[in-house]
Amino acid sequence: MEEFTVTPWEVSGQVDYDKLIQQFGTKRIDDGIREKLKRISGELHVLLRRQFFFSHRDLDLVLQDYEQKKGFFLYTGRGPSGEMHIGHLIPMIFTKWLQDVFKVNLYIEITDDEKFLVKREMKWDDTQKFSKQNILDIAAIGFDPDRTFIFKDSEYIKNVYPLLLKIARKVNHSAVNAVFGFNEQSNIGITFYPAYQAVPAFFEKTRCLIPCAIDQDPFWRIQRDIAEDLGYKKTAAIHSKFVPPLQGITGKMSASQAETAIWLNDDEKAVKNKIMKYAFSGGQATIDEHRKLGGRTDVDVAYQWLSILFEEKEKKLRQIHDDYESGKLLTGEIKQILVDKINNFLNEHRTQRKKAEKLVDKFMYSGKLAKNMWEARFE
Amino acid sequence: MEEFTVTPWEVSGQVDYDKLIQQFGTKRIDDGIREKLKRISGELHVLLRRQFFFSHRDLDLVLQDYEQKKGFFLYTGRGPSGEMHIGHLIPMIFTKWLQDVFKVNLYIEITDDEKFLVKREMKWDDTQKFSKQNILDIAAIGFDPDRTFIFKDSEYIKNVYPLLLKIARKVNHSAVNAVFGFNEQSNIGITFYPAYQAVPAFFEKTRCLIPCAIDQDPFWRIQRDIAEDLGYKKTAAIHSKFVPPLQGITGKMSASQAETAIWLNDDEKAVKNKIMKYAFSGGQATIDEHRKLGGRTDVDVAYQWLSILFEEKEKKLRQIHDDYESGKLLTGEIKQILVDKINNFLNEHRTQRKKAEKLVDKFMYSGKLAKNMWEARFE
């Protein structure tokens, strides 16, 4: 087994997710939880069936709260440092499913402040431009406009500043240094930021559930450390694995390396070129060898992406798996299947994104939840 | 000469102000500057005549800017941790004089956030209650309602958050640790706060002048370090000495030790009792000895307070000095002079405070400058 690293800022190596659960002290999503979710939802989301969402904190308590009619709420976010790629959309897609199933409020934090603080060369205007574009992509997912509040940190600060201070007062530097690796060279803004990231988990007195990739888990340890002291519940979380980059199944799709990802604004030709050229193949060097020996689905990025999300039907995925392993399906063919799936997905996304232009105002200001949130003041 | 300590949080010992100027790297306010100020103002304020304001940074450049019609602006503040005492009012009184003379804008920051972050047991509501009371005391000073903006950090954050981030991004922990003595046990809010304290010095592109007691100087070193990088001028400052506590001429009047200070809401009887009982006397043990040997004005707190502010007339102060030193004036008598002066001062203050109730809205929201400031957004 190779070495691997998982922190909020670095994912590298081939991740051993069982080991990670141990390291992070989270729990595996077991059959019991999946069955309960299936009973409530009717049908499990593909991201749960395929165990792409695989780990959790207190998800059992969330479901218990739900069954006891205590309710809960959802919280996720986006750092507007640039355009979004497919990997960024996956937690959003899953979050929408959770909202549809449970009919709960959802808060989406756009962390324009954090991105500005982290990226020394970034202009404030850029954070605002990317925020606007990212919010459109998020609005395209189809959340409930009356149960979803999308807010920019810089805009909503006026409603939460006293709460932010209350949180900050409870957290010292040894805590954030340990979690985030800050040091004397860190700027005085970025070390304050974890307080704001905890804020939405205090928007309601019920339990908060955060769907996120598992590398983001440390952010909420801070919230869990102080929540009960402040009279709130520790936030729960449901964790995904990482979408592998095109180049191979180690690490994760990275915003800072453009060619590792499929971007939401890649056109059909770009998608095809990129997958054909870069997607790491589990196939053999020649067609003859491939027919004879078969391909390896466990390292083939096209297959992996199909299995994470893009081929939802179990039977079809099984067929692709068997045909590729047996050598019947060639590398170019499995890649073409993915190209078509992704282009369908992106075309649909762009259609929804266009429609969402009219919805942004509801999510941010005028929908039922948004309106309540602008009237609220958190202390 | 005794040892002494001067930091933003501790003033102890008998301060050697010449040494302090060297330590802090500031400049003495010399005759040249005083003459220039006299030429402009017609008559020097007593706090300048008596050299209670004694040190500065770039005050010469401020006066140069003024003479070259470039203008400048004033900035001061108040941490609303409780009621105010006479020591708190002195920089305000001097600031009003500067505003009257130069007809410039003045920004007064009410740091409700800082006080909340520093005082672990303080409730948010308390910071708001004290803010309200303190603002009334400040409004009573008689600033120009169209050239003065009094704001609470927690309220004005919405207009300055991006600027705050821009400042914070430029300041790292080694800088604030060195200036403020923060460490790993400091909370993540208080180490961010120096960014907000720098904000008002960036409200205008002209030079900022900050009147303050010299222990507050380190706060603005941070601003001076980064100002030019952000396209602004380094802030200037004019520094006062400390008002000695009733108990003796070491240290300073302290809000955390109630009996060391005269509070703005002390009634006539309380003022008399406190001064008679606590004010450290430079007189002799018995009347006979006093008549024979005379008193020491250099350690007599009543005399010191008279000389700082409360006896404005040079001739009268000289007389008091000579009479006390010669033994003609007794301890009870010099104290009574101070009691009368302070009670007059406080009665007048309370009258003005009552009138100021109607002005607070102008200072905070509806005056000319305040209105502009609520329409502005700082990035």
Side-chain angles (χ1 to χ4, degrees):
Chain A
M1 179 55 67
E2 294 175 47
E3 292 285 319
F4 66 92
T5 306
V6 174
T7 71
W9 294 294
E10 191 195 349
V11 176
S12 62
Q14 186 164 356
V15 181
D16 178 337
Y17 288 104
D18 285 318
K19 225 185 222 172
L20 202 57
I21 282 177
Q22 279 194 329
Q23 275 179 19
F24 275 28
T26 66
K27 284 189 190 152
R28 185 165 270 285
I29 299 178
D30 60 20
D31 289 340
I33 287 186
R34 267 191 299 272
E35 271 159 33
K36 205 178 235 189
L37 281 167
K38 194 172 176 184
R39 208 171 58 232
I40 296 168
S41 65
E43 196 192 345
L44 285 185
H45 192 273
V46 57
L47 290 163
L48 272 171
R49 267 192 279 130
R50 305 275 168 77
Q51 301 190 25
F52 188 70
F53 276 86
F54 75 109
S55 154
H56 75 96
R57 288 188 193 272
D58 292 348
L59 179 57
D60 44 346
L61 299 181
V62 170
L63 296 176
Q64 197 179 77
D65 286 354
Y66 176 77
E67 291 181 317
Q68 294 174 359
K69 314 273 183 215
K70 290 180 187 162
F72 71 95
F73 66 102
L74 292 162
Y75 159 33
T76 185
R78 159 75 190 154
S81 55
E83 305 287 342
M84 289 171 77
H85 59 57
I86 278 182
H88 296 133
L89 230 46
I90 288 182
M92 297 286 173
I93 290 168
F94 184 62
T95 301
K96 173 189 153 47
W97 181 79
L98 289 170
Q99 187 181 49
D100 287 348
V101 168
F102 292 99
K103 311 271 180 270
V104 289
N105 287 342
L106 162 63
Y107 302 91
I108 303 179
E109 180 178 22
I110 307 296
T111 62
D112 54 353
D113 50 354
E114 188 224 356
K115 287 303 157 197
F116 183 75
L117 288 165
V118 169
K119 302 194 171 260
R120 296 208 144 244
E121 300 313 316
M122 201 170 188
K123 293 207 164 66
W124 181 251
D125 285 349
D126 292 335
T127 67
Q128 300 309 296
K129 183 186 74 185
F130 290 132
S131 293
K132 204 175 166 184
Q133 293 174 3
N134 293 176
I135 287 169
L136 259 181
D137 281 314
I138 293 166
I141 301 293
F143 298 111
D144 181 339
D146 283 318
R147 286 203 183 94
T148 304
F149 179 47
I150 305 179
F151 64 99
K152 279 191 295 189
D153 280 348
S154 65
E155 261 190 27
Y156 201 59
I157 183 93
K158 75 190 190 78
N159 294 53
V160 297
Y161 191 56
L163 171 59
L164 197 52
L165 299 172
K166 196 183 271 183
I167 294 166
R169 191 166 71 166
K170 286 271 182 199
V171 180
N172 68 21
H173 282 281
S174 54
V176 294
N177 289 358
V179 170
F180 302 103
F182 296 138
N183 58 41
E184 289 238 312
Q185 270 56 60
S186 306
N187 73 57
I188 62 173
I190 195 59
T191 59
F192 177 59
Y193 172 73
Y196 209 152
Q197 186 133 14
V199 159
F202 296 107
F203 278 165
E204 301 188 10
K205 283 275 177 176
T206 56
R207 204 179 304 273
C208 173
L209 173 63
I210 300 172
C212 61
I214 193 162
D215 58 331
Q216 301 299 303
D217 179 71
F219 280 109
W220 291 287
R221 287 187 206 159
I222 299 286
Q223 194 273 355
R224 289 175 60 89
D225 281 349
I226 62 170
E228 290 174 349
D229 246 28
L230 292 176
Y232 291 80
K233 290 193 170 71
K234 291 184 180 187
T235 190
I238 180 165
H239 306 118
S240 78
K241 298 174 182 172
F242 307 111
V243 181
L246 283 169
Q247 284 72 4
I249 57 161
T250 61
K252 70 170 182 174
M253 209 186 276
S254 165
S256 53
Q257 294 160 279
E259 73 286 358
T260 65
I262 298 291
W263 297 83
L264 300 184
N265 55 7
D266 280 345
D267 64 19
E268 294 199 356
K269 211 172 137 194
V271 168
K272 177 154 189 174
N273 283 344
K274 223 183 252 183
I275 289 173
M276 291 299 177
K277 186 167 168 193
Y278 294 121
F280 185 84
S281 169
Q284 303 299 337
T286 65
I287 293 186
D288 279 355
E289 272 184 67
H290 190 83
R291 294 284 187 215
K292 202 169 351 166
L293 303 169
R296 283 183 56 191
T297 52
D298 61 337
V299 296
D300 190 275
V301 168
Y303 179 80
Q304 290 298 321
W305 283 24
L306 287 167
S307 82
I308 288 170
L309 180 70
F310 291 103
E311 180 47 74
E312 290 196 22
K313 296 199 179 90
E314 296 299 340
K315 231 172 131 181
K316 273 205 176 172
L317 185 72
R318 191 75 227 162
Q319 191 67 51
I320 291 168
H321 175 273
D322 293 349
D323 288 352
Y324 196 61
E325 289 275 340
S326 74
K328 189 174 160 194
L329 196 66
L330 297 175
T331 289
E333 291 167 337
I334 196 172
K335 283 187 172 186
Q336 187 59 49
I337 294 172
L338 182 67
V339 167
D340 292 341
K341 287 283 184 183
I342 288 187
N343 278 330
N344 282 345
F345 175 88
L346 289 182
N347 285 332
E348 174 63 15
H349 178 72
R350 283 185 282 253
T351 305
Q352 295 305 325
R353 193 179 194 271
K354 191 76 201 147
K355 286 187 194 164
E357 284 173 13
K358 282 181 206 141
L359 286 173
V360 167
D361 188 72
K362 280 205 155 192
F363 288 125
M364 297 188 76
Y365 308 107
S366 62
K368 196 175 153 201
L369 180 61
K371 232 174 136 185
N372 285 343
M373 289 301 285
W374 283 106
E375 280 159 18
R377 201 170 153 82
F378 294 89
E379 286 183 5
Chain B
M1 180 55 68
E2 294 175 48
E3 292 284 321
F4 66 92
T5 306
V6 175
T7 69
W9 294 295
E10 190 195 350
V11 175
S12 63
Q14 186 164 357
V15 181
D16 178 337
Y17 289 105
D18 286 318
K19 223 185 225 172
L20 201 58
I21 281 177
Q22 280 195 329
Q23 275 179 18
F24 275 29
T26 66
K27 285 188 190 151
R28 185 166 270 284
I29 299 177
D30 59 21
D31 289 341
I33 287 185
R34 266 191 299 272
E35 273 159 33
K36 205 179 235 189
L37 280 166
K38 195 174 175 182
R39 210 172 55 232
I40 297 169
S41 65
E43 196 193 344
L44 284 185
H45 192 274
V46 58
L47 291 163
L48 273 171
R49 270 192 277 131
R50 305 275 169 78
Q51 303 190 26
F52 188 70
F53 276 86
F54 74 110
S55 154
H56 75 96
R57 288 187 193 272
D58 292 349
L59 179 57
D60 44 346
L61 298 181
V62 169
L63 296 176
Q64 197 179 78
D65 285 354
Y66 176 76
E67 292 182 317
Q68 295 175 357
K69 315 271 182 217
K70 290 180 189 163
F72 71 94
F73 66 102
L74 292 163
Y75 158 33
T76 185
R78 159 75 190 154
S81 55
E83 304 288 342
M84 289 171 77
H85 58 59
I86 278 183
H88 296 132
L89 230 48
I90 288 183
M92 297 286 172
I93 290 168
F94 184 62
T95 302
K96 173 190 155 44
W97 181 80
L98 289 170
Q99 187 181 49
D100 287 348
V101 168
F102 293 99
K103 309 271 181 271
V104 289
N105 286 342
L106 162 63
Y107 302 91
I108 302 179
E109 180 178 23
I110 306 297
T111 63
D112 54 352
D113 49 355
E114 188 224 356
K115 287 303 158 197
F116 183 76
L117 287 165
V118 168
K119 302 195 171 260
R120 297 209 144 244
E121 300 313 316
M122 202 171 187
K123 293 206 164 66
W124 182 251
D125 285 349
D126 291 335
T127 67
Q128 300 310 294
K129 183 186 73 186
F130 290 133
S131 293
K132 204 174 166 186
Q133 293 174 4
N134 293 175
I135 287 169
L136 258 181
D137 282 314
I138 293 166
I141 301 293
F143 298 112
D144 181 339
D146 284 317
R147 285 203 183 95
T148 304
F149 179 46
I150 304 179
F151 64 98
K152 279 190 295 189
D153 280 348
S154 65
E155 261 190 28
Y156 201 58
I157 183 93
K158 74 190 191 77
N159 294 54
V160 296
Y161 191 55
L163 171 58
L164 197 51
L165 299 172
K166 197 184 270 183
I167 294 166
R169 192 166 70 165
K170 286 270 182 200
V171 180
N172 67 22
H173 283 280
S174 54
V176 294
N177 290 357
V179 170
F180 301 104
F182 296 139
N183 58 40
E184 289 237 314
Q185 271 57 60
S186 305
N187 74 57
I188 62 173
I190 195 60
T191 59
F192 177 59
Y193 172 72
Y196 209 153
Q197 186 133 15
V199 159
F202 297 107
F203 277 166
E204 301 189 9
K205 283 275 177 177
T206 55
R207 205 178 305 273
C208 173
L209 173 63
I210 300 172
C212 61
I214 193 162
D215 58 330
Q216 302 298 303
D217 179 71
F219 280 109
W220 292 287
R221 286 187 207 159
I222 299 287
Q223 194 272 356
R224 288 174 61 88
D225 282 348
I226 62 170
E228 291 176 348
D229 245 30
L230 292 176
Y232 290 80
K233 291 193 170 70
K234 290 183 181 188
T235 191
I238 179 164
H239 305 118
S240 78
K241 298 174 182 171
F242 307 110
V243 180
L246 284 170
Q247 283 73 4
I249 57 162
T250 61
K252 67 170 184 175
M253 208 186 277
S254 165
S256 53
Q257 293 160 279
E259 74 286 359
T260 66
I262 299 291
W263 298 83
L264 300 184
N265 55 8
D266 280 346
D267 65 19
E268 295 199 356
K269 210 173 138 195
V271 168
K272 177 153 187 172
N273 284 344
K274 223 183 253 184
I275 290 175
M276 292 299 177
K277 186 168 169 193
Y278 294 122
F280 185 84
S281 170
Q284 304 299 335
T286 66
I287 293 185
D288 280 354
E289 273 183 65
H290 190 84
R291 294 285 188 215
K292 201 171 349 167
L293 303 169
R296 284 182 56 190
T297 51
D298 60 337
V299 296
D300 190 275
V301 168
Y303 179 80
Q304 290 298 322
W305 284 24
L306 288 168
S307 82
I308 289 170
L309 178 71
F310 291 103
E311 181 47 74
E312 291 197 21
K313 298 200 179 89
E314 297 298 342
K315 231 173 130 180
K316 274 205 177 169
L317 186 71
R318 191 75 228 161
Q319 193 66 52
I320 291 168
H321 176 272
D322 294 349
D323 287 352
Y324 196 61
E325 291 274 340
S326 73
K328 190 174 161 195
L329 196 65
L330 297 175
T331 290
E333 292 167 336
I334 196 171
K335 284 189 172 185
Q336 187 60 49
I337 295 173
L338 182 66
V339 167
D340 293 340
K341 287 283 184 184
I342 288 187
N343 278 330
N344 282 345
F345 175 88
L346 290 181
N347 285 333
E348 175 62 16
H349 178 72
R350 283 184 282 254
T351 305
Q352 294 305 324
R353 192 179 195 270
K354 191 75 202 150
K355 287 188 194 161
E357 283 173 13
K358 282 182 205 137
L359 287 173
V360 167
D361 188 71
K362 279 204 156 191
F363 289 125
M364 296 189 76
Y365 308 108
S366 62
K368 196 175 153 203
L369 180 61
K371 231 173 137 186
N372 285 344
M373 290 300 285
W374 284 107
E375 279 159 18
R377 203 174 152 79
F378 295 89
E379 285 182 6

